[in-house]
Amino acid sequence: MKTYRKSIDKKKVELSLLKKSVERHTEEITLLNSKAETLQKAREIFQKAATLTQNHLASHLSAIVTKALKTVFYEKDISFHVEFVERRNTSECDMWIEEDEHKYSLLDSRGYGMADVVSFALKIAYLLLHNSDNFLAIDEPGRNLSKDKHEVFSQVIKELS
């Protein structure tokens, strides 16, 4: 009987220790859940801020590049668009040209001259949005433009400088 009593007492002590361990783990789980909720709320705030920033940036880039395109290709109904999209858990930037209500990739049958204008305008947009005293060294920025567009493009460069 004494052996059973010792065994029961030992089991009671083990049970008491296990109950305390469960309580400690339950408190830890509650604390971790609270931290997870706080982190999720912070993540949502960061995502909203990133979305607002991306929309603002997309608007500015679209306006600057569209103005350059319309100046050089004045005879066309043309615009440049930027959209930030979520792919593979990361933000990516889609850019395209819209002409006569059709979407085109930057190099898709619009020619490299148009790509030169877009590239140059994006570089200028970077400098404008960066608000610094940076300079831009250019080497044949409109090399793929047709000859009849060179004078207009040089005017764009002069105005922007």
Side-chain angles (χ1 to χ4, degrees):
M1 189 75 158
K2 285 183 178 184
T3 308
Y4 288 122
R5 174 60 64 195
K6 283 183 181 181
S7 178
I8 290 174
D9 288 342
K10 184 178 176 183
K11 295 293 181 188
K12 282 182 179 179
V13 168
E14 286 177 11
L15 179 62
S16 175
L17 291 173
L18 286 172
K19 283 183 179 180
K20 287 180 183 178
S21 177
V22 167
E23 285 176 20
R24 201 171 52 249
H25 287 358
T26 302
E27 289 173 5
E28 190 176 330
I29 288 171
T30 303
L31 180 64
L32 290 173
N33 283 336
S34 175
K35 285 182 180 180
E37 286 176 22
T38 301
L39 290 173
Q40 180 60 31
K41 288 176 185 176
R43 181 174 187 237
E44 289 170 7
I45 291 169
F46 282 123
Q47 284 176 328
K48 285 180 185 177
T51 299
L52 289 172
T53 301
Q54 288 170 345
N55 290 341
H56 183 72
L57 180 61
S59 173
H60 281 299
L61 290 175
S62 295
I64 291 168
V65 177
T66 295
K67 187 171 184 176
L69 284 170
K70 286 185 181 229
T71 301
V72 175
F73 300 100
Y74 52 87
E75 72 281 358
K76 297 182 180 196
D77 181 22
I78 193 166
S79 58
F80 179 78
H81 299 275
V82 175
E83 180 181 27
F84 288 92
V85 292
E86 196 72 25
R87 289 191 192 104
R88 297 174 294 277
N89 291 326
T90 187
S91 287
E92 294 183 8
C93 181
D94 288 345
M95 295 182 276
W96 69 92
I97 293 173
E98 192 171 303
E99 183 180 344
D100 299 324
E101 298 181 20
H102 291 88
K103 275 174 103 168
Y104 299 98
S105 75
L106 296 179
L107 300 176
D108 184 28
S109 73
R110 301 293 93 198
Y112 289 104
M114 198 170 285
D116 281 350
V117 174
V118 169
S119 172
F120 181 76
L122 285 172
K123 291 171 187 170
I124 296 300
Y126 171 78
L127 290 176
L128 290 172
L129 295 172
H130 195 260
N131 291 331
S132 70
D133 294 334
N134 289 333
F135 67 94
L136 178 64
I138 55 176
D139 181 26
E140 298 183 286
R143 69 180 163 270
N144 294 305
L145 282 170
S146 61
K147 299 252 186 252
D148 63 320
K149 299 294 181 190
H150 284 190
E151 189 173 324
V152 175
F153 189 61
S154 66
Q155 280 302 114
V156 168
I157 294 171
K158 286 177 188 175
E159 286 178 33
L160 289 173
S161 13

